[in-house]
Amino acid sequence: MPTHRRAALVTLVSAILAAGVPGAVAQAPPASPDVYVSPSGNDHADGTARHPVRTLERARDLARTRVGDLQADLTVHLASGTYRLTDPLVLDARDSGTHGHRVIWQGTGDTVVSGGRRVTGWRPVRGRPGLWSAPAPQGLTDTRQLYVDGVRAQRARGAVPVTLTQTATGYTASSDAVAHWKRPSDAEFVYTSGEALWNIERNGLGQWTEPRCRIASAEGTTITMAQPCWDNSNKRVEFPAIPGRTVSMVGPGRLTNSGRATYVENAYELLDQPGEWYLDRGAHRVYYLPRKGENLGRSDVEAPAAEKLVDGRGTADAPVHDIVLRGLRFSYATWLTPSGPEGFSEIQAGYTVTGDRGWATQGLCHYVDGGTCPFASWTKMPGNVSFTYGQRIAFADDVFAHLGASGLDLGTGSEDSTVSGSVFTDISGNGLEIGGVDGQTPASGVQVTNNHLYGLPREYHGGVAILNGYTAHDTIAHNQIDHVGYSAVSMGWGGWPDKIGDPATPNPSHDNAVRDNLIYDYMQMLDDGGGVYTQGLTGTSMADGEQVTGNVIHDQWGLGKSVYTDNGCTYETVQGNVLFHASYANVASRHTDYRDDLGNNDPTLVKDNWWEEGTADSDNKGLVTTGNKIMTALSDVPSGIVADAGLEPAYRGLLHRETGGPSAPEAPSRVGTSTAGADALYVTFNPSFVEGSSPVTGYTARAYDTTGRQAGEQSVTAGDLRRTALVRIGGLPSTGGPFTVTVIAANAHGTSAPSLASLPLTPTAATVLPAAPTGPKLRTQSTAATLAWTPPAATGDAKVTGYRVTVSDGRDPIEVTGRDVLVTQPSAKGMFRVIGGLRPGTSYTVTVAAVTAAGTGPGATVTARTAP
C-alpha cells in the first residue's frame, strides 16, 4: 500500500475510534493528564510538555479539568525559573486528588514561587555619598523587606534621637527632632526584651518578646503612637486583687522601663550603614546603601509585594486534600499588618493582641466581662504559605526562605499531612506553625521530619522555629534546628491560669511526640524559653501525653532550659535525651496541678536522660525523676544516641543547600558593658545567630568617647566568646568617658554592620569583693558530681564575670565562665557545673567563689561522698 494511502487509512481509523463508532474494538491511548509550566510558556497553550503554560493559576485551572477521574497521580511539572505572583495561588477542594491519587506540584529545586518585584533603575543620590535610589516597582505600595542578590537588607534603624517621656497616647520628646523627619509616621519603635543584664535594658512585654508600634504622628515634641497597638501594649487588664498580675497572665500590663524604645526603624534619616534601606512611600522611591562589593547595576534587588504565596482554602465540609508540593522555593513575600495601626503587640511566639479593644477582651474568656474564648486565643502570625482544613498535604524537598511572616502554616483542620526534607531559613517570624489555639478544629497527624531550620527569626525575634498549638498525634522528629533567636520548638498553650491557682485551659491535645531532633545554638537573642518548650495540658494521662525523647539539645545562650515544662504542663515524658550547656536548667520547671485540691505537681516523668543538671532520683508528688546520668563530656553518651539525633543520612545534604548569595553575618545584638577597672570595660552581647553564608569566626568590640572618637577596641574569636561570653577593652583614657560600645561580627565573606551601641558607662576602680555564693550542693554519682549554687546576693562594686571552683583532691582550680554566669546573676537563678574524674565511694569537699574585676571573693563550701 502506498504511503499516502496508509496514512489516510490511519487517520480514518483514528477518527472512527474518536467518534465512538459501533464496532470499534480498540481505543487510542489516553493523553497524559500532567500539566507543564514554564516561565517562558504561554497561557494560551495546552499545557503539554512541548507547549507549557506560563502561570501557576493557569496550570491549576487546567489541572482542575483533569482530576475528576484520576487513574494515577497527576503532576504539574514546574520548570526551573521564577514564577512571580501578584495574588496567591489559591487551592481548594477542586484541586484535590481523587480515587487515592494525588495532585503533585513538582519543581526542580530551582523553581522559585515569588511574591517579589524587581527593583531597577538605580542612581546615586545627589548630596548623599554612597546612597542610591530607584523608583519603586509598579504595584509596590509598601513592603517591610528588601533583598539584594538573595541577601536580606536591614531596614534603616538607629538609636532614638530624643529622650522619651511616656504619656497616655505616646510620648513627650526632649526635642522636636523626630517631627522634622521626612515621614515620621513611617517610623516604628522596637522594644527588645530579654533579661536585664549589666546595663542592657529590658524594654518589651516579657523577656521573650519584641513588640513593635508605629508612630502615628509627630508634632513638635508630641509623639502620638498608632492605635490600637499602643493601647494593646500598655493597657492590658490586671486583676484588681493581684497588683501587677495581668488577666492574660503572660507578661506585664504595659511596656517596661517607662515605655522606652530600644531603637527606631524605618526612617530616611537613619540611613547611615551599608546594607540599610528605606522605602519612601510618598515619593514611591527605594533608597539603599550598598554593602562592600555590591553593584546595583548588576544585582538582583527584590522587594516583596505579595503577603501570601500559596493559600490552601479547605473547609470542614470541603477539605482540600491529597496534594504534594515538592522541589519548590517559596520566597519574597511580606506581611504588612505590623506596619499599620495594629502593629505587633506580642504576647508570645508571634501571637499578638489585636483589635480596637483587644487589650480588654481578647482571649481573656471568663476572667473579664466580654472576654473572648477560649482563654489565650490571641491572634496568630499568618504563614506566607498556608493551608486550613488540608488533609494529606505533603511538602517535600522545599525551601522556605526570604519570607516576611511565618514560613508555613498548617492551620485549623490540618490532618495527616507531612513536611519533610525541607529548609526553613531567613524568615521574619516563626518557621513552621501547626494548628492553632482558637478553639477551632485542631490539627492532627502532622509529621514534621528531616528538615533543617536555622537563621531565624529575622524580624519578630520572639518567634520560634516550630510552633505547635493544640494538636493530636503530631510528630516532630529528626530535624536539625540551630542558630535561632528564641526557642526551637514550642508546644501547647493555655497553661498560665496556674499562676493564680486555676487549672490549665482544657484543650484537645494528646499523643504528640518530639523525638530524635538535634537542637543547638538556640535562644541567641531573647530569654525565658527552651530547646523544647511546652505549656498547658498535653494529654489525659502519661500514656497519651507528650513524649520528648531521644533529642540532643545543647549550647543555649539565653536564660532558660533545655526542656522547659512551663505553666500547666501535664503528662509530659522527658526520656533518653542528651542535654548540656544550658543556662539555668536542663529540665524544669515544677508547677502545682490545680485540677484538684490534692497539692500534687503536674504529672511529669524525667527519665534516663544524659545531662549536667544532676538532680537526684525522686517522686515529688507526681514529678518523677529517675535513672538520669551526669555527663562530663559528649563522649560519655552512647554514640548511637548522638548519631540518631537530627537529620537521617539521606537528608544530610540539606545542610549544604544554598539559599542566598555570599554574605557577611548579621550584626550582634543587646550590647552591654560593666566596669573592668579604672581604665577598662567588660562587654557582653548576643552573638550573630544569622551567620551569613559561612560561620562567624570572631567579633570586634569598639569603645567610643563622648565625641564619637574611637577610644579602644578588642577582638575575640567565636570560640572564646562561647567560652567566656565577654570581651575586655582595656587602656581606655581616664578622661573622655562615659564610653559607648558597638560590636561587629566577621566571617569568611566580610564583617557585619556595627551593632546598636551600648548605653554609656564610665569605668571605675573596683575594690570591694563580692560576697560568697549561697546554698552550695554537690549532687553525686560514682565518678562525677554536679556542683550547684546560687549567685551571691551582693557583688561588691563590680559585676560577677566568673566563679572559681576548688576540689579537695588537689586538682587545679576550675574557672567557670560563660553566658550563664552573667544571666543568672540579676534574678539569682541557680547555677551548676559538672566535676568529673572522681573516684567512687570517696568524700570530696568543693568550694565555689565569685570573681569580679575586684578579685575573687570568699567561698562557699560543701562536702559529699560519691556513689560506690
Side-chain angles (χ1 to χ4, degrees):
M1 182 181 294
T3 302
H4 71 278
R5 292 185 62 190
R6 184 184 298 112
L9 181 58
V10 169
T11 301
L12 177 62
V13 171
S14 298
I16 292 171
L17 292 174
V21 174
V25 297
Q27 295 184 358
S32 169
D34 287 1
V35 178
Y36 291 81
V37 199
S38 170
S40 60
N42 186 327
D43 275 356
H44 295 292
D46 58 8
T48 60
R50 295 187 63 183
H51 301 99
V53 296
R54 183 176 61 84
T55 66
L56 304 188
E57 293 85 353
R58 179 58 180 154
R60 176 203 60 196
D61 293 345
L62 282 177
R64 280 179 178 174
T65 68
R66 304 177 185 183
V67 298
D69 191 26
L70 289 181
Q71 303 301 309
D73 290 345
L74 185 158
T75 299
V76 179
H77 301 269
L78 301 170
S80 296
T82 298
Y83 298 82
R84 295 186 182 273
L85 305 180
T86 55
D87 296 302
L89 173 66
V90 176
L91 303 175
D92 58 31
R94 295 171 293 174
D95 305 300
S96 303
T98 59
H99 302 295
H101 300 295
R102 305 168 300 170
V103 176
I104 302 172
W105 292 76
Q106 178 68 61
T108 66
D110 291 317
T111 301
V112 181
V113 180
S114 171
R117 303 285 182 276
R118 287 202 68 177
V119 184
T120 60
W122 292 96
R123 297 290 184 271
V125 176
R126 186 176 301 174
R128 287 290 306 270
L131 184 64
W132 291 63
S133 76
Q138 184 69 30
L140 181 75
T141 58
D142 198 4
T143 189
R144 294 181 62 88
Q145 296 83 31
L146 190 77
Y147 300 86
V148 181
D149 292 328
V151 178
R152 181 182 292 232
Q154 170 64 54
R155 281 209 307 177
R157 67 174 183 172
V160 180
V162 292
T163 301
L164 300 174
T165 301
Q166 191 172 6
T167 67
T169 58
Y171 300 97
T172 298
S174 58
S175 79
D176 62 354
V178 174
H180 291 290
W181 283 359
K182 193 174 186 179
R183 290 179 60 89
S185 61
D186 280 352
E188 186 173 282
F189 283 159
V190 183
Y191 306 87
T192 306
S193 194
E195 288 294 325
L197 169 63
W198 288 4
N199 64 351
I200 303 174
E201 291 186 342
R202 179 194 297 171
N203 292 328
L205 288 161
Q207 297 96 307
W208 54 92
T209 66
E210 192 182 59
R212 294 164 170 262
C213 284
R214 184 174 58 79
I215 294 174
S217 65
E219 298 178 3
T221 60
T222 299
I223 296 177
T224 303
M225 299 300 291
Q227 295 284 16
C229 185
W230 185 249
D231 281 353
N232 286 339
S233 303
N234 286 288
K235 284 188 175 181
R236 295 181 182 178
V237 183
E238 297 182 356
F239 287 107
I242 315 175
R245 172 65 69 199
T246 58
V247 174
S248 74
M249 293 172 250
V250 189
R254 61 188 297 139
L255 294 165
T256 53
N257 269 335
S258 299
R260 284 200 294 273
T262 307
Y263 62 95
V264 60
E265 189 173 277
N266 200 39
Y268 177 84
E269 289 74 12
L270 301 174
L271 281 166
D272 61 358
Q273 296 295 332
E276 288 188 333
W277 70 279
Y278 169 71
L279 171 63
D280 187 331
R281 292 182 299 157
H284 206 61
R285 294 198 70 82
V286 181
Y287 293 87
Y288 180 63
L289 268 172
R291 302 177 180 98
K292 183 179 179 180
E294 290 178 334
N295 183 331
L296 296 181
R298 296 195 299 265
S299 295
D300 175 24
V301 182
E302 299 280 346
E307 295 188 72
K308 196 174 286 289
L309 300 175
V310 177
D311 191 3
R313 299 179 184 174
T315 67
D317 294 329
V320 56
H321 58 87
D322 296 291
I323 293 176
V324 179
L325 297 102
R326 186 166 58 206
L328 305 175
R329 290 181 174 242
F330 300 101
S331 294
Y332 304 127
T334 190
W335 177 40
L336 297 178
T337 296
S339 296
E342 290 283 7
F344 189 74
S345 181
E346 188 169 29
I347 283 278
Q348 182 170 320
Y351 277 86
T352 57
V353 180
T354 60
D356 289 343
R357 285 181 54 82
W359 57 273
T361 62
Q362 190 174 13
L364 302 185
C365 207
H366 58 277
Y367 289 107
V368 299
D369 291 339
T372 61
C373 292
F375 173 75
S377 57
W378 298 293
T379 302
K380 185 173 70 172
M381 181 184 298
N384 292 132
V385 177
S386 69
F387 276 81
T388 55
Y389 289 101
Q391 298 177 358
R392 298 177 298 283
I393 307 299
F395 288 87
D397 194 29
D398 296 316
V399 172
F400 297 82
H402 317 323
L403 298 173
S406 292
L408 171 62
D409 178 23
L410 298 178
T412 296
S414 294
E415 186 176 327
D416 298 330
S417 296
T418 61
V419 183
S420 63
S422 297
V423 172
F424 293 76
T425 190
D426 190 19
I427 296 168
S428 288
N430 298 316
L432 167 62
E433 299 176 336
I434 309 168
V437 298
D438 55 4
Q440 302 299 311
T441 304
S444 64
V446 176
Q447 310 292 306
V448 180
T449 59
N450 286 296
N451 303 284
H452 187 203
L453 303 97
Y454 70 99
L456 58 88
R458 295 296 302 269
E459 188 173 358
Y460 311 107
H461 293 119
V464 301
I466 299 177
L467 178 66
N468 186 91
Y470 293 149
T471 64
H473 296 287
D474 281 4
T475 298
I476 299 171
H478 286 293
N479 303 285
Q480 178 168 317
I481 305 174
D482 60 270
H483 295 88
V484 292
Y486 180 52
S487 295
V489 179
S490 182
M491 306 283 291
W493 205 250
W496 296 289
D498 76 1
K499 293 181 177 181
I500 60 168
D502 284 355
T505 304
N507 74 74
S509 292
H510 62 89
D511 290 291
N512 292 313
V514 183
R515 60 174 177 82
D516 303 316
N517 300 285
L518 174 60
I519 298 170
Y520 65 93
D521 287 345
Y522 58 100
M523 288 179 61
Q524 296 212 307
M525 186 167 179
L526 299 183
D527 295 277
D528 200 6
V532 177
Y533 170 94
T534 305
Q535 58 130 316
L537 298 167
T538 77
T540 62
S541 68
M542 294 304 297
D544 71 356
E546 183 177 306
Q547 303 283 314
V548 179
T549 61
N551 303 284
V552 175
I553 305 175
H554 65 91
D555 286 287
Q556 168 190 304
W557 188 261
L559 185 65
K561 296 97 178 179
S562 308
V563 178
Y564 192 164
T565 57
D566 203 6
N567 299 102
C569 179
T570 62
Y571 302 124
E572 177 161 326
T573 296
V574 182
Q575 184 172 1
N577 303 282
V578 179
L579 313 170
F580 60 100
H581 294 173
S583 294
Y584 180 34
N586 289 137
V587 182
S589 300
R590 177 186 62 81
H591 293 93
T592 302
D593 185 353
Y594 289 103
R595 294 175 301 160
D596 54 41
D597 296 323
L598 301 178
N600 290 321
N601 295 316
D602 293 323
T604 306
L605 176 63
V606 183
K607 181 180 181 182
D608 295 339
N609 300 285
W610 293 85
W611 64 357
E612 297 174 319
E613 185 175 326
T615 302
D617 289 358
S618 68
D619 184 347
N620 186 2
K621 298 181 179 180
L623 170 58
V624 178
T625 304
T626 182
N628 303 288
K629 302 172 184 64
I630 295 175
M631 56 180 291
T632 62
L634 195 57
S635 58
D636 294 340
V637 180
S639 59
I641 297 176
V642 177
D644 194 46
L647 299 171
E648 294 177 286
Y651 293 91
R652 290 175 186 166
L654 293 178
L655 301 179
H656 309 292
R657 181 168 291 183
E658 295 292 338
T659 58
S663 61
E666 189 174 76
S669 63
R670 306 198 74 227
V671 180
T673 56
S674 73
T675 188
D679 68 343
L681 289 175
Y682 285 125
V683 183
T684 190
F685 51 91
N686 287 37
S688 303
F689 65 89
V690 179
E691 293 201 307
S693 52
S694 68
V696 170
T697 54
Y699 300 88
T700 299
R702 296 189 174 107
Y704 297 89
D705 64 18
T706 55
T707 69
R709 182 171 52 196
Q710 184 174 321
E713 77 170 44
Q714 183 62 51
S715 296
V716 63
T717 67
D720 282 346
L721 179 75
R722 186 185 296 273
R723 179 176 57 83
T724 65
L726 55 83
V727 182
R728 184 181 187 275
I729 303 178
L732 297 175
S734 57
T735 59
F739 301 98
T740 58
V741 176
T742 64
V743 184
I744 61 172
N747 68 8
H749 296 284
T751 58
S752 71
S755 68
L756 296 167
S758 69
L759 292 175
L761 184 69
T762 300
T764 58
T767 59
V768 180
L769 294 176
T774 61
K777 296 180 179 62
L778 204 58
R779 305 164 181 165
T780 61
Q781 291 184 358
S782 59
T783 60
T786 296
L787 173 66
W789 70 93
T790 300
T795 65
D797 51 11
K799 304 294 186 183
V800 172
T801 57
Y803 292 91
R804 174 167 287 195
V805 174
T806 57
V807 185
S808 59
D809 60 6
R811 69 182 69 190
D812 290 339
I814 301 169
E815 302 297 334
V816 176
T817 59
R819 183 66 165 192
D820 56 339
V821 170
L822 310 183
V823 297
T824 53
Q825 180 64 49
S827 52
K829 299 290 187 183
M831 287 196 61
F832 57 88
R833 278 297 186 277
V834 172
I835 302 171
L838 305 181
R839 298 172 59 187
T842 303
S843 179
Y844 289 90
T845 297
V846 180
T847 300
V848 57
V851 179
T852 71
T856 303
T861 299
V862 61
T863 299
R865 180 177 295 275
T866 55

